[in-house]
Amino acid sequence: MPGTDHAGIATQIVVERKLQAAGQTRHDLGRKNFVAKVWEWKEESGSTITRQMRRMGDSVAWKHEYFTMDPKMSKVVTSTFVQLYEQGLIYRGKRLVNWDPVLKSAVSDLEVESEEEDGFMWHILYPFSDGPQPDHEGNLIAGMHIATTRPETMLADGALAVHPEDERYKHLIGKLVDLPLCDRKIPIIEDDFVDRAFGSGCVKITGAHDFNDYACALRHNLPMITIFTLDAKINENGPKQYQGLDRFEARKAVLRDLEEQKFLQKAVPHKSMVPMCERTGQIIEPMLTDQWFVKMDGLAARGLNAVETGDVKFFPDHWSATYNHWLKNIQDWCISRQLWWGHQIPAWYDDEGKIYVARDEAEAISKAGGKTLKRDPDVLDTWFSSWLWPFATMGWPEETATLKKFYPTTDLVTGPDILFFWVARMIMAGYEWMGELPFHNVYFTGIIRDKQGRKMSKSLGNSPDPLDLIAKYGADALRFGIMRSAPLGLDLKFDESSIEEGRNFANKLWNACRYRLMQGGEISTGDEALTADGVSVFALDIAA
C-alpha cells in the first residue's frame, strides 16, 4: 500500500522558505493561493518520491497509491473527527502546549528535542511584603531566594512554593512576598512536587509558562498570567518598560534591572536542557492557548494491553519498554495546528463563540439555526489522518473486498522514530473503529542519518537523491550498500563508500553469473533465474 502523508509542518516550512527566497510571505498570497502553491510543490515532490521508489525497485501495489489529503481521505478524516467529538473524546480547551514562536503554532511533545546548553542559574531575592521575617533558626531574613534559568518569566509568577515538610520554610507558608520589578504581591504556598535539595528549596510558580508549574497552579487555583505574545515578545501583562521586547532581550533587561535594584544575588554557571522544535530549530515556549485535544486515557489502555498480552510483538523487543512507558504516562493529544496546509478542522463559530462541529458548512449552519458562522482556521495534526491509514486506505467505512481481505494484516515494517506518532496511534485507532488490531508484528528498521547524526528530511535538505546514487552506482549497488550496513533496529550514518562497496559486490555477482552462463545451463523465467547442476542464483536487476 504505497503512499505519502502531507507532512503539515515540514511541507509548509519548505514552501514558505521558497516564498521567502522570492521576497514573499504566505500572508501576501492569502490562504487559498498559498494552499494552491503547496499543492504545486506536492505534485513535484510526490512524483519525485514515486520515481525514486520505482527506480529502486520497490515492490508495492501501485494501483492502491494513497495520499492523506486525497478527497476520499479528507471525507474519512472529517467523519472521524465529528464522531469523536460527539462521543466526548474530542474537546477544545485552553491548555499549556509546546509553542513555536516562529512557526506560530503548537507542536507535539514528540516534535520537541531537548539539547544541552551552557547557561546560568540566576539566584533572585523576593522580599517579604511585611518586612524581614525570622528563619527556622530565629535569624531575620529579608526574603525568599529562588534560582531560575528563565528570569524573564518571573514577570508572570503567581506564587512561590516550598515543600510542606521543609523545616526551613514551614512557618513561612501563607506569607506574601513582593514580586521584583512588578507591582504585585504573591503568596508562599506548599506543594510536595518541590525538590528540597535543589537550589534553595524554594521555587517560583509560573503557571502559564512551565509545564510543572502549570500543574501546580491548577492544584492551588493560582492565576495563569500569559506574559508573551504568540511571537514571544513581552505583552501588555508585563511592566511597560519591557513590553514589545523579544523574550531574550527581555531576559537581559530583567537581569540588568534586578542587579541595579539589588534583587539579583548571584549567577552560577549551569548546564540545562533546552527544548527545541525539531522542524524549525527554534526554542520552544510553553504557551497557554486554545487548542483541540483528543482524550487518550481509554484509547491508551487498549494499546497497552495489546503489547502486554503479546497480541502485538516488537522486533527488537526492547522497544516494548519504551512503548509501555509512553502510554502509561500519556497526555491528551493536541491535534490542532496553527497552519494553512492540512485538513481544516470541521468546526464553525457564531458571533457569541458557540461551537458547531459538522461534516460541512451547510450542516453547521443547520445546527446553528441559520446563523452566520466563521470556520475555525486551524488544521489537524498530520498524524490525525495517518493513524487511520490501515483501514481508511482500504475503503472504510464501506465494507470493501480489499478491507475484508487485508485487514488486519500481519507485519508492519517501520522506523522507531514514529513508534508514538504512528504505530501506537494506529493500534488505538484499529481498536476504536475496527474492533481489532491492524497488525501483529512490528519490525523496526534503523534510521539512516547524515554524517552529523541528524535525521534526513525535506526541511533540513540533507538527504542525497537516490536517483543520483543510482545513476552513479546502480540500483542494486544502492540496495546492497544500505542493507550491508543496516543492523536490526539501530541507526547508521550514511557514507557513500558503502554504496561503492555495494557496487563492487553487485559486480562480483554479475561476473559470477556471467561466467556460469558461459558454461551452459538453463535459464528460468521464474523466481530462480539460473538453474544448472543443482545450483540456483536469484535474478538480479543490475543497473547499467
Side-chain angles (χ1 to χ4, degrees), residues 510-522:
W510 175 255
N511 289 333
C513 291
R514 187 168 59 176
Y515 176 77
R516 185 66 189 82
L517 287 169
M518 288 171 61
Q519 308 310 309
E522 296 180 2

Side-chain angles (χ1 to χ4, degrees), residues 12-32:
Q12 180 153 325
I13 289 171
V14 170
V15 177
E16 287 203 68
R17 284 175 181 168
K18 286 179 174 290
L19 289 176
Q20 190 176 22
Q24 291 181 302
T25 70
R26 61 184 166 117
H27 299 286
D28 294 330
L29 296 181
R31 183 166 190 151
K32 183 178 179 180

Side-chain angles (χ1 to χ4, degrees), residues 20 37 270 317 478:
Q20 190 176 22
K37 280 283 185 187
H270 178 76
D317 182 62
L478 178 58

Side-chain angles (χ1 to χ4, degrees), residues 1 218 232-234 238 303 306 319 325 374 420 423 445 461-462 467 499:
M1 183 71 75
L218 288 177
K233 292 182 172 61
I234 302 297
W319 287 110
H325 175 76
K374 183 177 180 181
F420 309 124
V423 179
T445 65
N462 61 342
L467 298 182
I499 311 303

Side-chain angles (χ1 to χ4, degrees), residues 122-139:
W122 286 281
H123 293 250
I124 303 169
L125 171 69
Y126 285 57
F128 292 115
S129 299
D130 295 335
Q133 302 291 322
D135 65 10
H136 65 295
E137 295 178 343
N139 303 309

